[in-house]
Amino acid sequence: MEQAVAAKTKASEVRADIRNVAIIAHVDHGKTTLVDGMLRQTNVFRSNQQVMERVLDSNDLERERGITILAKNTGILYEGVTINIVDTPGHADFGGEVERIMNMVDGVLLLVDAVEGPMPQTRFVLRQALEKGLKAIVVINKVDRPAARLDYAVNATFDLFVDLGANEEQADFPVIYAKALEMRAGYAPDDLADDLRPLFDTILEHLPGPTVEREGPVQMLVTTLEHSSYVGKIAIGRLRRGVLHAGQAVAQILPDGEIVPGKVSQVFIFRDLKRVDVPHAEAGNIVAVAGIPDVGIGDTLADPDFPEALPPISVEEPTVRMTFSVNDSPFAGREGQFVTSRHLRARLMQELERNVAMRVHETGAANDFVVSGRGELHLAILIETMRREGYEFAVSQAEVIFREGPGGLLEPVERLYLELHEEYLGAVTEMLGQRRARMEQIRYGDGGTVYCEYLAPTRGLLGFRQPFLNVTRGTGLMHTLFSDYEPYLGDIEVARRGSLVALETGSVTSYALMDLKQRGNFFVQPGDEVYSGQVVGQHIRDDDLVINVCRTKQLTNFRDKPKRDLEGVEAPRILSLDDAMEYLSGEDLLEVTPASLRIRKKELRHDVRLREAKRASLAKAQAAGA
């Protein structure tokens, strides 16, 4: 078989009419804005067409959070050369997206903010590119900002390349200066052209075209999936070899080696912001293929006579997991459209088809599923997406995934980057010391700003963001990047937060909140419906307190002095999804519906929780005595 393949495979050649490029950057460094400018200046849009900003961030969640979550690709034509652009996520939690799309490109554009320089999330994506031997072009963006540090940005980027093990050719990168919002670029910061032509010219000159075998047997690795209501699943990847025709028979090679016959119904290429139906596509192009119903990420589409598989996509294993379960609260089924275990299981299995960095395990209980991801944000995006689709379910507290190593138990450790004012450094250092973090580096910047780098166990960073923001008065910035698995670092004692728990089911009254306002901060307001066992606030002490927030005033003939019902009652603390996930303890669940987020106790009955607490306390005392 190998001799037959070799006989049919022709000599390799470099296609000069194609460039496959990924754009990588830290969050909010202007990556998607730059793509907007590239699309506009290659006449993708009509002159009178109304186009929203950040057009590639088509997902509602991406636009709301201001981050790229899903890798997306488009293609433009510049001076007869097709430039296929892949917009990559900038957050390490979506590393599964990054790791697979790097298989499709031959070079990268690294976008760096002129003030901030290369930031932590830049490291992860750039490391993936350099390890695959890709060449890079560095674009220093926002050069018109008053505090721009151009020399620092370039030098720090070079240091980052060296630190990540770039070879001599990779470290000798060209630098382009840009104002992405104005769609201008140039070879010097004080000499920008009126358009992005210098950037396009540098892409054509510096980044190589794909090396292909045009006349060999067809071979393509599926790296992304899309779905169309007209043609079903659409497999996307770079055609490595041969010419793929509509109606052509192919062999679908699964990652385990099994070969399934199939037939391509349609072939698409990407042009502008659309998939364009074409009769055939040649090797080197990024193509989309329809007609193979059970195709999956990591499959190889090959010639049936020469079924040669490409190396399957490998991604780093998940580090954090949560339990997804059917919602069994008293309010279950009120707000959601999909509420049963069958619905929940089908949706989670559907997620596995396109999210290669996620894992789903069924448990002994029919209503519970353990979902593992690359971080809390990775899981939070899944939860938010499902609730917007009409799903109703409950999730548990996030917990890290341990491994067994030759020397014992191993746990995930992350590299934590902090930016804060020096007056808060002592308090933050004390907090991280309690969480078993160790400082690796510290640097003092302008205006009293301190930049710190820590190695911290993932356990210690779960629930750390809110206390960090509280200590730094909301001014601190933090970023994390998975480092490695290390030997277990010991127990972590974090101050437990007490909760205010509703005594009975009913509507919250302002009369009750007035009498209870000194007990803590509330998550509910008058008129909200609550149920017995629901967490309605945070206690000022570290133990739980059961309170009646539905109590009403007794009606008598006595007339009290008139006063405002809500006088002195603070506004409720409205929890976002991220806040609610951080708040959860091991005894809590988060009820997720399309309309509401409610924190509740796993055991809703107060007497049962009290008995279990007494039993646990007694067992702990006996263990200490022994």
Side-chain angles (χ1 to χ4, degrees), residues 432-449:
L432 288 170
Q434 295 171 349
R435 295 168 181 263
R436 301 281 180 174
R438 61 180 185 269
M439 184 180 287
E440 294 282 299
Q441 200 173 49
I442 184 170
R443 177 172 61 86
Y444 290 85
D446 300 332
T449 303

Side-chain angles (χ1 to χ4, degrees), residues 174-447:
V175 178
I176 298 293
Y177 299 90
K179 297 179 185 179
L181 275 175
E182 298 180 10
M183 297 181 286
R184 299 174 60 199
Y187 302 105
D190 54 356
D191 186 23
L192 300 185
D194 294 331
D195 52 24
L196 295 174
R197 188 172 293 272
L199 176 60
F200 288 124
D201 292 340
T202 305
I203 291 174
L204 267 53
E205 178 183 347
H206 186 74
L207 298 184
T211 301
V212 300
E213 300 165 9
R214 293 201 198 204
E215 300 181 15
V218 166
Q219 192 180 47
M220 167 184 156
L221 181 67
V222 178
T223 55
T224 308
L225 291 178
E226 291 185 3
H227 188 273
S228 167
S229 55
Y230 298 101
V231 297
K233 275 189 183 178
I234 298 177
I236 300 173
R238 186 171 76 173
L239 189 58
R240 299 278 176 174
R241 201 168 60 193
V243 180
L244 189 62
H245 296 267
Q248 180 176 342
V250 295
Q252 176 189 352
I253 308 174
L254 306 183
D256 60 5
E258 181 184 353
I259 299 177
V260 180
K263 183 177 180 181
V264 173
S265 62
Q266 288 177 281
V267 177
F268 305 89
I269 62 171
F270 292 90
R271 180 68 75 237
D272 303 337
L273 294 174
K274 303 183 292 293
R275 289 191 302 264
V276 179
D277 192 357
V278 293
H280 67 273
E282 296 183 348
N285 222 329
I286 294 178
V287 301
V289 173
I292 304 174
D294 297 321
V295 68
I297 293 174
D299 293 352
T300 299
L301 303 183
D303 190 314
D305 297 329
F306 304 93
E308 183 183 3
L310 287 164
I313 296 171
S314 60
V315 298
E316 293 180 3
E317 291 297 313
T319 58
V320 177
R321 64 188 175 198
M322 303 176 76
T323 300
F324 284 52
S325 57
V326 172
N327 183 23
D328 61 356
S329 82
F331 292 171
R334 288 189 178 187
E335 301 167 349
Q337 181 181 359
F338 307 108
V339 298
T340 66
S341 60
R342 177 175 60 85
H343 289 136
L344 183 59
R345 182 185 184 280
R347 178 61 180 82
L348 293 175
M349 295 305 167
Q350 177 189 341
E351 186 69 20
L352 291 181
E353 294 183 359
R354 57 175 179 265
N355 200 331
V356 294
M358 192 163 280
R359 305 285 184 270
V360 177
H361 301 285
E362 299 190 49
T363 65
N367 294 337
D368 297 340
F369 305 88
V370 176
V371 181
S372 306
R374 293 283 282 270
E376 284 185 292
L377 182 59
H378 191 197
L379 295 173
I381 293 299
L382 171 62
I383 293 170
E384 183 64 33
T385 302
M386 288 177 61
R387 71 180 294 224
R388 294 184 182 209
E389 293 172 357
Y391 287 85
E392 182 176 314
F393 52 98
V395 297
S396 69
Q397 179 189 29
E399 58 182 15
V400 301
I401 300 174
F402 296 98
R403 291 182 184 175
E404 284 292 338
L409 193 66
L410 302 177
E411 68 172 322
V413 173
E414 301 191 38
R415 199 166 288 277
L416 172 66
Y417 301 87
L418 300 180
E419 179 182 339
L420 65 156
H421 196 271
E422 59 184 351
E423 67 177 293
Y424 307 125
L425 180 60
V428 171
T429 302
E430 183 179 356
M431 289 169 55
L432 288 170
Q434 295 171 349
R435 295 168 181 263
R436 301 281 180 174
R438 61 180 185 269
M439 184 180 287
E440 294 282 299
Q441 200 173 49
I442 184 170
R443 177 172 61 86
Y444 290 85
D446 300 332

Side-chain angles (χ1 to χ4, degrees), residues 74-111:
T74 184
I76 58 178
L77 197 63
Y78 176 74
E79 294 189 351
V81 178
T82 297
I83 302 177
N84 291 313
I85 302 171
V86 183
D87 188 14
T88 65
H91 199 288
D93 278 16
F94 309 110
E97 295 282 320
V98 175
E99 288 164 343
R100 55 194 172 98
I101 62 93
M102 284 300 169
N103 288 290
M104 294 197 294
V105 300
D106 302 292
V108 297
L109 287 183
L110 173 61
L111 216 66

Side-chain angles (χ1 to χ4, degrees), residues 556-567:
T556 68
N557 286 329
F558 178 74
R559 296 293 181 263
D560 198 358
K561 184 171 68 174
K563 59 182 178 180
R564 296 177 61 187
D565 280 349
L566 289 179
E567 184 179 357

